[in-house]
Amino acid sequence: MIEGVLIQPLKQILDERGKIMHVLRASDPHFKGFGEIYFSMVYPGAIKGWHLHKVMVLNYAVPVGRIKLVLYDARPDSKTRGELQEIFVGADHYVLVQVPPGVWNGFKGIGVEPAMVANCASHEHDPHEIVRMDPLENDVIAYDWALKHR
């Protein structure tokens, strides 16, 4: 696991009317502040990434659908520098994934339905704080996004 990445199981409260899906509370020990929350829809097979935030802490949860979240540690002082991590997140593996600043991240919609990705970020969006990179053609991360038949 990449240093500083947290995977926290999330609570769901189900009854005959539906369910409540928790994400993050200000009283959680891993709460790093609130900047904004937004939702990103991703279609099956589509890739969103790579992104690197310089100061923002990301808190991803996927209440609908399923994604493969891929992280790459490029922080010069990290013990896990150069490591890749794949995390499968969705309604059937409902967790919070906290990504520290300086870790590249991207995700791909998997399965048969669009996925909704929630990000409860520690800072408001700032176009000067984010670095973007092509997920398929770059000189930094050698990662094959294709479906793997293991």
Side-chain angles (χ1 to χ4, degrees), residues 4-62:
V5 172
L6 172 76
I7 302 174
Q8 179 73 36
L10 293 173
K11 187 175 180 180
Q12 297 185 64
I13 303 169
L14 292 84
D15 67 20
E16 66 272 14
R17 300 167 297 169
K19 63 182 173 180
I20 294 170
M21 304 173 81
H22 286 244
V23 177
L24 186 62
R25 294 176 177 209
S27 60
D28 286 338
H30 50 274
F31 180 72
K32 304 290 186 193
F34 177 75
E36 67 178 0
I37 185 166
Y38 64 87
F39 299 89
S40 178
M41 291 294 293
V42 60
Y43 298 119
I47 300 167
K48 293 191 174 187
W50 297 101
H51 310 107
L52 182 145
H53 289 276
K54 298 173 186 173
V55 296
M56 181 186 290
V57 176
L58 308 172
N59 291 288
Y60 286 133
V62 181

Side-chain angles (χ1 to χ4, degrees), residues 73-86:
D73 191 354
R75 298 170 294 177
D77 299 328
S78 173
K79 295 176 190 169
T80 54
R81 178 179 170 80
E83 288 189 20
L84 272 166
Q85 183 175 356
E86 294 178 329

Side-chain angles (χ1 to χ4, degrees), residues 100-115:
V103 173
W104 286 98
N105 68 92
F107 52 85
K108 178 179 180 180
I110 58 175
V112 296
E113 63 178 332

